[in-house]
Amino acid sequence: MDETKYHDLYARSLRDPAHFWSEQAEKFITWFKRWDTVTEGDFNRHNVRWFLNGKLNACYNALDRHLETKSGETAILWEGNDPEKTKKITYAQLYENVCRFANVLKKINVKKGDRVCLYLPMIPEAIVAMLASARIGAVHSVVFAGFSPESLASRINDCDCEIVITATVGRRGDKIIPLKKNVDEALIHCPGVRHVIVVEEANQPAPFQEGRDIAYHDAMKTAEKQCPCEIMDAEDPLFILYTSGSTGKPKGIVHTTGGYLVYVAMTFKYVFDYHDRDVYWCTADIGWITGHSYLVYGPLCHGATTLVFEGVPTYPTPSRFWEVIDKHRVSIFYTAPTAIRALRREGDSWVKKTKRDSLKILGTVGEPINPDVWKWYDQVVGNNHCPIVDTWWQTETGGILISPLPHTTRLKPGSATLPFFGIVPDIVDEAGQSVEQGKMGRLVIRKPWPGMMQTVHGDRERFVEGYFKDVPDCYLTGDNARQDEDGYFWITGRNDDVIKISGHRIGSGEVESAFIASSAVSEAGVVPVPDEIRGESIYAFVTLKSGIKASDELKKELIQHVRGSIGAFAAPKYIQWAEALPKTRSGKIMRRLLRKIANDEMKDPGDTSTLSDPDVVNELIKNRLVL
């Protein structure tokens, strides 16, 4: 596609969206019954729906329809944590495994609409479990396997999961994560869970609870290898995925089947310039939306070979990513800036030990990429011949909204460039008015698109308040951005209290709640500070309870406490002791001021008229830690 064709097609997608999306739905997805209406509703009434009364099944689109032409081709290329462990699973084999596991779920009375929680490492069984749930109409809710038992329990309870699928352990580099042990601890607080299905490893046994726990491989041996697909309505939920908000409680983002599948299939094709026989590798974990959309559903809807990686970029050496690319002849590589920064820090020699001559497209996801890191990725990893697709999107959007198209869009290091078809971004000020070119403001989307979230599970009010109320007739992304003279978008960070660490979003309230759960802590305020490797790190202002003495030993204890409450990725890097925190007269912590203090930006404090005690700020500035 050339640049002129992109602009023509983009204009048509805005001029006649119903006809445009109807064409895409017919082109990319197989339907059991065609829809009656392409779309209805709007952002003002918060009632947007897509492909009304259309019938389909996500698993059918990922597997069944490819069997006639691709049954012997590789669907999943699994690269284990140990470089010696690799598996190739064909479409026929994956189909049989999914059907068997769907029957395992049906045997324990999992029905259409039931929620199934997955807490699994990056093993083929995780993809089998997702697709098997979709096959029988169950709603899967994947929880990142780095989360603590407490965080797992809150997510299980919020979406009323009765079934949990886990493994005895997970492996990341030289670490072993006791997943089954974590599940057992979590389920003390989850009385609604009926069964736990466990993928066992012979050398890593775990305690089994009689009557509740089921061994995965034993159950699979006796399961039938045929299972019909449940016919799903386009608006039936496909999955719930939790993402952190600015308050302590994570949000269960609900995505439905029809619109989501159309959108991820189309974006996968065009953003990654996918062609038959390409070997595609997205390094994301299935616990995040990137794993859902561009590791599982997007590639498999195209009959692609998708590489699933269990390990970490630096194990056993910092050459691991590049060795895997050579080993499996990867042509499309999609990863996060945090991984690129970490590998860049190790030096060019680890990259140059490998050829990487199979690569044709490089991608980046999860956060803005610094221009100098972009250039290193281009020159050292891509040898100056691979277009870089710097993609911007969110859990809530379902798929990529702003991105270059390879060999079509002129690239600018650090810019996500131009909107995808049908997407109408704008940048507005605090009053919701469009800002002039070059000025930073709040990024909004003015028109609905098929991949967008349906609601927040169990909390419709939070869905409306969080995404639509502040700027009427728009979807509020929560990100800041600016637009340059060529119309290119530059994402400049969050405008709420969400911290993004290594591509993982964590709400400040969730971390503060973890601090306050300690018997030593009275109050905590948490803000992000720049981190060369992880993008952002956590800087915490902590007020201790009366009689508790501050010490380096206590800092270490609190860091471990937060790790245990949420997960290792949320461990604070800096803790500053504070006699008090800056608050408004109504008692709200002014995190905006904490952020400025932590980042040494108090020369321009902004409006402090609502601050109850200015002396608190001066004290915090005086004791600020050197980053």
Side-chain angles (χ1 to χ4, degrees):
M1 182 185 301
D2 60 26
E3 194 169 0
T4 301
K5 186 175 179 183
Y6 159 77
H7 287 292
D8 289 347
L9 197 54
Y10 178 72
R12 187 160 71 83
S13 73
L14 304 190
R15 188 173 58 250
D16 187 4
H19 187 249
F20 176 83
W21 288 115
S22 179
E23 284 182 347
Q24 310 315 314
E26 289 175 341
K27 180 177 180 180
F28 289 104
I29 296 300
T30 300
W31 300 80
F32 300 144
K33 174 188 173 293
R34 198 178 188 278
W35 53 92
D36 297 330
T37 306
V38 176
T39 185
E40 70 174 20
D42 56 47
F43 285 158
N44 272 332
R45 291 174 292 169
H46 326 114
N47 64 342
V48 178
R49 297 194 297 164
W50 288 89
F51 306 111
L52 281 74
N53 298 319
K55 308 297 180 185
L56 74 166
N57 184 281
C59 180
Y60 183 92
N61 276 278
L63 296 180
D64 303 49
R65 65 178 180 158
H66 305 310
L67 294 178
E68 188 174 337
T69 57
K70 291 180 176 282
S71 63
E73 294 182 17
T74 302
I76 294 175
L77 190 52
W78 181 72
E79 174 77 14
N81 184 64
D82 179 348
E84 299 299 314
K85 293 186 177 179
T86 300
K87 291 179 184 175
K88 289 185 178 181
I89 301 171
T90 67
Y91 270 90
Q93 291 167 333
L94 184 58
Y95 169 81
E96 182 177 325
N97 287 338
V98 167
C99 285
R100 285 185 186 276
F101 192 63
N103 285 322
V104 170
L105 292 175
K106 289 172 77 170
K107 190 173 181 179
I108 54 174
N109 202 31
V110 177
K111 304 180 298 299
K112 180 179 178 179
D114 288 350
R115 271 76 67 198
V116 176
C117 175
L118 279 64
Y119 183 68
L120 285 160
M122 291 294 288
I123 54 178
E125 289 85 354
I127 286 81
V128 168
M130 289 175 71
L131 294 173
S133 299
R135 190 169 193 85
I136 63 172
V139 181
H140 58 71
S141 180
V142 183
V143 177
F144 173 54
F147 274 118
S148 67
E150 183 181 346
S151 295
L152 173 62
S154 70
R155 288 155 173 79
I156 290 171
N157 287 330
D158 187 74
C159 68
D160 301 314
C161 282
E162 295 185 359
I163 307 297
V164 177
I165 305 163
T166 190
T168 49
V169 298
R171 288 185 169 85
R172 288 182 65 80
D174 57 4
K175 296 178 181 176
I176 293 181
I177 300 102
L179 297 181
K180 177 57 164 59
K181 179 175 178 289
N182 289 350
V183 168
D184 289 341
E185 288 181 26
L187 296 194
I188 294 170
H189 309 287
C190 304
V193 172
R194 296 186 289 111
H195 289 291
V196 178
I197 301 173
V198 186
V199 181
E200 296 179 279
E201 290 195 44
N203 60 344
Q204 294 289 340
F208 261 52
Q209 182 175 308
E210 193 69 33
R212 185 195 72 179
D213 297 351
I214 298 167
Y216 175 92
H217 291 105
D218 288 349
M220 289 286 279
K221 286 175 188 173
T222 57
E224 291 289 329
K225 60 182 181 181
Q226 291 292 333
C227 178
C229 286
E230 186 74 29
I231 296 175
M232 305 297 288
D233 188 85
E235 282 293 298
D236 282 337
L238 175 60
F239 63 85
I240 299 170
L241 187 59
Y242 284 85
T243 184
S244 293
S246 56
T247 61
K249 184 182 176 184
K251 296 173 287 190
I253 304 301
V254 179
H255 279 288
T256 50
T257 306
Y260 170 82
L261 220 58
V262 170
Y263 195 74
V264 297
M266 184 187 180
T267 48
F268 175 77
K269 166 63 179 174
Y270 288 120
V271 172
F272 299 107
D273 192 28
Y274 173 76
H275 290 84
D276 204 26
R277 308 290 181 181
D278 280 339
V279 176
Y280 168 83
W281 181 16
C282 169
T283 67
D285 191 284
I286 60 159
W288 310 109
I289 187 65
T290 307
H292 281 56
S293 297
Y294 299 114
L295 175 68
V296 180
Y297 288 112
L300 294 180
C301 278
H302 284 274
T305 295
T306 183
L307 195 151
V308 178
F309 180 56
E310 184 185 27
V312 294
T314 54
Y315 180 83
T317 75
S319 265
R320 184 69 189 280
F321 268 7
W322 324 126
E323 289 168 354
V324 171
I325 287 169
D326 281 358
K327 177 179 178 181
H328 297 296
R329 305 297 294 163
V330 172
S331 47
I332 305 166
F333 179 65
Y334 193 36
T335 195
T338 186
I340 302 166
R341 287 193 298 268
L343 294 169
R344 176 175 176 256
R345 187 178 184 181
E346 297 290 341
D348 297 0
S349 62
W350 293 105
V351 187
K352 292 180 177 178
K353 289 174 184 279
T354 60
K355 293 180 179 178
R356 306 166 321 287
D357 57 353
S358 59
L359 285 173
K360 69 171 193 176
I361 304 289
L362 296 174
T364 175
V365 60
E367 58 194 324
I369 183 168
N370 319 88
D372 58 333
V373 178
W374 189 103
K375 290 172 185 173
W376 181 85
Y377 195 32
D378 176 37
Q379 294 162 9
V380 179
V381 177
N383 287 326
N384 290 305
H385 76 263
C386 296
I388 295 176
V389 289
D390 176 4
T391 63
W392 176 84
W393 58 297
Q394 305 172 317
T395 304
E396 294 90 339
T397 72
I400 296 162
L401 264 60
I402 304 176
S403 172
L405 299 185
H407 311 294
T408 299
T409 314
R410 287 186 302 111
L411 304 178
K412 295 186 182 183
S415 172
T417 72
L418 299 172
F420 192 72
F421 305 114
I423 305 302
V424 185
D426 195 10
I427 299 169
V428 302
D429 59 20
E430 290 300 313
Q433 300 300 309
S434 298
V435 303
E436 60 190 40
Q437 202 171 66
K439 187 175 180 181
M440 191 178 77
R442 298 191 290 176
L443 179 63
V444 299
I445 310 297
R446 292 200 172 274
K447 298 288 183 185
W449 66 99
M452 63 181 289
M453 66 189 291
Q454 182 195 58
T455 189
V456 172
H457 178 71
D459 199 341
R460 184 74 178 174
E461 185 179 346
R462 194 176 184 189
F463 170 67
V464 174
E465 292 279 331
Y467 299 101
F468 302 103
K469 188 173 182 182
D470 218 24
V471 184
D473 204 23
C474 289
Y475 166 79
L476 181 63
T477 69
D479 277 342
N480 286 324
R482 63 180 174 85
Q483 197 174 14
D484 69 15
E485 66 279 2
D486 295 319
Y488 279 36
F489 287 86
W490 298 75
I491 311 301
T492 56
R494 298 291 297 168
N495 58 42
D496 59 13
D497 291 319
V498 173
I499 303 168
K500 190 172 279 189
I501 305 167
S502 299
H504 307 324
R505 293 173 67 193
I506 186 76
S508 57
E510 196 170 3
V511 182
E512 290 163 4
S513 297
F515 268 112
I516 294 167
S518 164
S519 60
V521 176
S522 171
E523 200 166 37
V526 167
V527 295
V529 292
D531 186 296
E532 183 184 351
I533 302 300
R534 302 196 298 169
E536 290 180 341
S537 288
I538 290 173
Y539 188 116
F541 297 85
V542 175
T543 302
L544 298 176
K545 289 182 179 177
S546 178
I548 303 293
K549 289 187 177 180
S551 68
D552 289 341
E553 190 61 36
L554 181 55
K555 279 188 181 182
K556 292 176 184 175
E557 288 177 16
L558 291 176
I559 290 168
Q560 288 304 314
H561 175 76
V562 175
R563 284 175 63 103
S565 295
I566 300 174
F569 65 93
K573 190 171 183 179
Y574 306 98
I575 295 178
Q576 177 178 336
W577 304 121
E579 284 296 314
L581 300 178
K583 295 178 183 177
T584 63
R585 291 183 178 89
S586 64
K588 292 180 181 177
I589 297 171
M590 295 184 72
R591 292 190 188 86
R592 175 179 61 79
L593 289 182
L594 291 180
R595 189 185 299 240
K596 284 182 175 289
I597 293 166
N599 288 280
D600 197 20
E601 296 172 350
M602 282 301 287
K603 288 179 182 177
D604 178 22
D607 180 17
T608 58
S609 60
T610 61
L611 190 63
S612 62
D613 184 1
D615 289 339
V616 169
V617 174
N618 297 331
E619 192 66 18
L620 291 177
I621 293 171
K622 188 171 74 175
N623 295 317
R624 174 186 170 272
L625 303 176
V626 178
L627 305 186

